Amino acid sequence: LLDIIIILFLTVALVNSNSSISKRFRLPYKYTLHLHYLLGYHIFFSIFFTWYILNFGGDSQGYWRLGMEQVIVRDPSWMKYFGTSTTFILWLCYIPAKILGLSYITGNILFGFLGFIGIRYIFVLVFEHFPTNHKVLNIPLFPYVFYFLNLHFWSAGVGKDAICFWAIAWFLYALQKYQSRWWEALIALFFLYMARPHMGQTLIGGAAIAILIGSKMKIQYKVGLGIIASAGTFYLLGSTAEFLEVETLSLESLSEKSAMTARNLSSGKVGSSVDISSYSFPMKLFTYLFRPLFLDAHNFVSLFSSVENALYLWLSLFIYQNWKPEAIRDMPLFLKAGVITFIPVTIAFMYSLSNLGVVMRMKNMTMIYFMLFCFFLISHNKKQRLVRSMDKKRFYQKRQAIIDAKKRNAI
C-alpha cells in the first residue's frame, strides 16, 4: 500500500510540475502534452526495466537489496554506506529499501522519476534555445528525439545511470543561467561526483571551458574560474584513474585495460563483446558512437539501439556542411558545456570499454548532447538561410519601390 501511495503522489506532483514548468517557459499546449506523454512513457520503461533485470540480471537488484558482492560493510547502517560510486547508490537505497521496505519495482520508478526530470530539463532547454526545427523522414526531431528508447531505458531504473543522467542534465540546466542557478549546479555536481567521480571531474572542466569561451564574464572572473577549474580537475585526477582501474590516466593505460577486458569477455558467452583493443582510432571512435548497428543486434534492446545509432550517424554527416563559426558563437551555453564534456568522455570510454551493452549504458549520459549539437548546427544554418532570404526579399522590395516611385515622378 505504501508503494502505491508514494508512486501516485509523486506522479501527480510531476504532472503538476509539468504544467508549471510549461507556463514558466511558455511552452505551447502540444508540448505540455508531450511532457505528460513522456512521463507515462518513462514509467512504462521503469516497469520494463524491472522485468528485464529480473529476467536477464544486472547490478540494479544488488543496489536495491544492498547485496552488491564487491562492497563489504561491517555492521551495516545508513551512514556506513556513504561514499563514492557503488556505496553512494547503496546509501541512496538504504532508507526506501531497508527502512520503508519498498519493493524493487517501486525503487525503479523512483529512480526513473529522476531520469524523467533530467529529460524534462533538456526538453525545455531545446525548446527555448534552438532557432528552428528539423525533420528526418518528415518527422520533426523536436520533440520526438526525446522518445528514444535508450534515453529512457538506462535512466529508468535503480543504479548510477539514472543518477548521472539526471545530475548532468540538471547541472547544464543550471549552467545556462549560472548567475542565479549556481547553487543548483553545485547540488547536481555533488550527486554526479558521488555516483561517478570521473564524470564530475569532466563536467567541471567542460563547464569551465564553455563559460570561458562562450560568456560575457569579465576577464578577471574568467581567469579566476580557469584557475579554480584547473586546480579542481588536477585534484580529481586520482579518483578518476582509480574509478577506471588504471594506474595513470593515459591513452596507453586505457588501451591496456581495454585489451584485458576484451580477453575476459571473449572467454565467456557475452553476446555484445567486441575486440575494440585491436581497432584503429577511427574504428574505435565509430564503434563507440554508432554501434550497435543492425548487423550487431543480438537482442531487441540492441535492435532498437541500432535504429537510434543510424540516426546519430545520419545527423553526424551534416556536421561539416553546417559547421560555421557563427553557429558555435550562438550555441547556448548548456550545449557548449555538454559537447565539450562529451569529447574527453568519448575518448576515455572508447579506449576502456569492450562491450556494446556497456557502451550503450555509458554513452547514454552524454550522447544526447552530441545529437543535439548536430541538430543545432542544422537548425542554425536553416535559420541563417531564412534570414538571408528575408533580407534579400526586403532588399528587392525596397529597390522595386524606389523604381516605382521614380516612374510616378517621371509621369
Side-chain angles (χ1 to χ4, degrees):
L1 181 61
L2 181 61
D3 295 75
I4 296 174
I5 292 174
I6 290 176
I7 291 172
L8 288 178
F9 175 79
L10 292 177
T11 301
V12 171
L14 284 173
V15 169
N16 289 333
S17 63
N18 282 344
S19 300
S20 62
I21 204 168
S22 295
K23 291 179 181 177
R24 190 191 319 164
F25 286 89
R26 298 179 181 177
L27 267 64
Y29 181 67
K30 64 177 181 179
Y31 291 149
T32 304
L33 288 179
H34 275 291
L35 286 179
H36 297 328
Y37 298 154
L38 285 168
L39 174 58
Y41 188 65
H42 203 73
I43 293 174
F44 163 78
F45 270 96
S46 290
I47 298 170
F48 175 72
F49 182 90
T50 306
W51 173 85
Y52 186 88
I53 296 297
L54 291 177
N55 284 273
F56 297 99
D59 293 342
S60 181
Q61 286 188 77
Y63 289 127
W64 192 251
R65 291 171 180 147
L66 286 84
M68 297 295 287
E69 294 180 2
Q70 67 267 39
V71 176
I72 299 175
V73 177
R74 304 295 181 188
D75 302 320
S77 60
W78 182 39
M79 289 311 298
K80 285 188 178 180
Y81 282 105
F82 189 78
T84 58
S85 193
T86 297
T87 53
F88 182 67
I89 306 302
L90 295 173
W91 180 76
L92 289 176
C93 294
Y94 189 88
I95 290 179
K98 188 90 171 175
I99 306 300
L100 299 179
L102 302 180
S103 65
Y104 175 56
I105 188 172
T106 301
N108 284 328
I109 292 174
L110 293 178
F111 273 69
F113 283 155
L114 293 178
F116 166 74
I117 293 171
I119 291 172
R120 187 172 66 184
Y121 281 136
I122 306 172
F123 187 100
V124 297
L125 286 171
V126 171
F127 169 79
E128 186 175 34
H129 296 286
F130 276 46
T132 60
N133 211 336
H134 179 66
K135 291 183 178 181
V136 175
L137 299 178
N138 209 33
I139 300 173
L141 286 180
F142 182 79
Y144 292 101
V145 292
F146 290 95
Y147 289 89
F148 277 10
L149 180 148
N150 273 303
L151 193 63
H152 291 267
F153 181 79
W154 297 112
S155 61
V158 175
K160 301 173 189 173
D161 303 299
I163 296 296
C164 290
F165 179 83
W166 160 70
I168 293 172
W170 188 15
F171 181 90
L172 296 177
Y173 169 81
L175 185 69
Q176 186 61 40
K177 293 185 178 179
Y178 59 88
Q179 297 94 335
S180 59
R181 297 177 185 158
W182 59 269
W183 60 273
E184 294 185 55
L186 289 178
I187 298 173
L189 186 62
F190 165 79
F191 280 95
L192 179 61
Y193 177 80
M194 296 302 291
R196 286 192 173 123
H198 65 292
M199 289 303 302
Q201 174 199 351
T202 309
L203 193 61
I204 289 174
I209 294 172
I211 292 175
L212 289 174
I213 67 175
S215 71
K216 297 179 180 178
M217 182 185 292
K218 293 181 179 179
I219 186 64
Q220 57 266 36
Y221 293 140
K222 287 189 175 184
V223 172
L225 177 63
I227 294 173
I228 294 172
S230 299
T233 301
F234 180 79
Y235 176 76
L236 295 174
L237 282 176
S239 64
T240 300
E242 181 181 354
F243 180 87
L244 294 174
E245 298 178 351
V246 294
E247 293 184 5
T248 58
L249 204 59
S250 65
L251 294 182
E252 181 181 359
S253 60
L254 291 173
S255 295
E256 291 175 0
K257 175 178 170 57
S258 177
M260 181 181 67
T261 306
R263 288 193 297 270
N264 293 338
L265 290 171
S266 63
S267 63
K269 297 180 180 180
V270 183
S272 58
S273 63
V274 291
D275 188 12
I276 196 172
S277 61
S278 62
Y279 291 175
S280 63
F281 179 87
M283 277 304 298
K284 285 179 179 178
L285 181 62
F286 183 87
T287 299
Y288 179 83
L289 292 179
F290 306 120
R291 289 178 65 185
L293 288 172
F294 298 104
L295 295 177
D296 299 310
H298 63 283
N299 58 31
F300 55 88
V301 174
S302 58
L303 178 62
F304 280 107
S305 296
S306 65
V307 176
E308 297 175 16
N309 287 333
L311 177 61
Y312 293 148
L313 179 59
W314 171 253
L315 290 176
S316 69
L317 299 177
F318 290 87
I319 292 178
Y320 178 77
Q321 177 184 349
N322 294 279
W323 184 278
K324 298 288 190 300
E326 296 82 6
I328 306 301
R329 179 199 65 201
D330 297 338
M331 189 173 292
L333 184 60
F334 87 90
L335 189 53
K336 286 178 183 174
V339 171
I340 293 170
T341 301
F342 168 81
I343 294 171
V345 168
T346 296
I347 294 173
F349 285 154
M350 78 185 207
Y351 273 94
S352 60
L353 302 179
S354 297
N355 180 284
L356 294 181
V358 178
V359 165
M360 286 190 292
R361 281 180 55 192
M362 300 305 286
K363 77 177 184 180
N364 182 63
M365 295 182 292
T366 56
M367 193 67 183
I368 182 67
Y369 305 109
F370 171 75
M371 190 277 295
L372 292 177
F373 171 74
C374 300
F375 180 10
F376 183 86
L377 292 181
I378 295 171
S379 64
H380 186 274
N381 198 13
K382 288 176 64 176
K383 179 70 173 181
Q384 293 302 108
R385 289 200 304 268
L386 180 63
V387 169
R388 288 194 295 269
S389 176
M390 294 299 295
D391 288 343
K392 193 174 182 179
K393 182 178 179 180
R394 283 193 292 267
F395 171 77
Y396 283 114
Q397 287 177 340
K398 186 176 180 179
R399 190 175 71 170
Q400 186 62 44
I402 293 173
I403 294 173
D404 292 342
K406 288 182 177 179
K407 287 181 178 179
R408 288 194 295 271
N409 291 334
I411 294 173

